Amino acid sequence: MERLTTLALLLFASSIGFTQDFEVAPVKVTFDCEPGQIQSKILYIRNHASEKQQFNITTADLPDDSLGKKKDNANRSCKEWITLNPSFFDLNPNETREVKMVLQAPPGHSETRWCMVYVSATEEQTALGADKQMKTGVKVKPRIGVRV
């Protein structure tokens, strides 16, 4: 019984300390470009935090599967074909921002491709903060992945 109580308290404490305070929609984006075409989609990011936050958006290959096995993602990736505008921005509390995702499929590529777009809450390091004494520790920042 004591173990269950301890586990419940740990789960409750971790849910308070590491809450997700922004949302991304949609979480799956499908482009249907022909080779040589350009197509764009809109990604919506909303800040639910009570303070201003900075966001960074990047593209990446699909992650490994749940067993840690590598997939053949590099040969089928479209991450180099996608442009994000803007890729770094600030959002005030309860503000929503549209991010334009543009995919340009090069001629001669008619196969299915995929990648991930990651939206991360981030903190810009100021010169004043960088000048202070270095400290060790881990700062957890949330990240939401969008499957493309």
Side-chain angles (χ1 to χ4, degrees):
M1 181 67 174
E2 186 177 334
R3 286 185 180 177
L4 285 175
T5 305
T6 305
L7 181 61
L9 286 173
L10 284 173
L11 289 173
F12 179 73
S14 67
S15 69
I16 291 173
F18 301 112
T19 59
Q20 177 182 313
D21 48 4
F22 68 97
E23 71 178 279
V24 177
V27 291
K28 185 175 182 183
V29 176
T30 303
F31 290 93
D32 55 355
C33 287
E34 294 295 324
Q37 284 187 330
I38 298 173
Q39 195 174 65
S40 65
K41 303 282 181 166
I42 300 293
L43 199 59
Y44 298 93
I45 293 93
R46 182 173 179 91
N47 180 11
H48 290 289
S50 58
E51 57 190 33
K52 185 177 188 178
Q53 284 196 91
Q54 295 177 329
F55 293 92
N56 185 34
I57 306 178
T58 57
T59 58
D61 292 329
L62 285 179
D64 299 338
D65 66 13
S66 60
L67 300 175
K69 293 182 182 177
K70 292 269 184 208
K71 296 180 182 177
D72 188 22
N73 292 326
N75 295 334
R76 302 287 283 195
S77 178
C78 63
K79 74 177 186 175
E80 302 298 328
W81 302 357
I82 294 179
T83 305
L84 302 163
N85 187 20
S87 61
F88 184 80
F89 55 90
D90 295 340
L91 277 180
N92 291 316
N94 295 316
E95 186 178 13
T96 300
R97 179 77 182 243
E98 292 183 1
V99 174
K100 189 174 186 180
M101 298 174 56
V102 179
L103 183 131
Q104 183 173 3
H109 290 280
S110 59
E111 67 277 355
T112 301
R113 298 283 184 127
W114 49 77
C115 72
M116 293 294 291
V117 171
Y118 289 111
V119 180
S120 305
T122 186
E123 268 185 47
E124 185 177 14
Q125 186 172 2
T126 63
L128 181 62
D131 199 29
K132 293 184 179 179
Q133 182 182 7
M134 291 184 71
K135 297 178 182 178
T136 7
V138 175
K139 189 163 191 172
V140 177
K141 287 294 194 176
R143 176 175 85 164
I144 297 175
V146 177
R147 192 178 190 109
V148 179

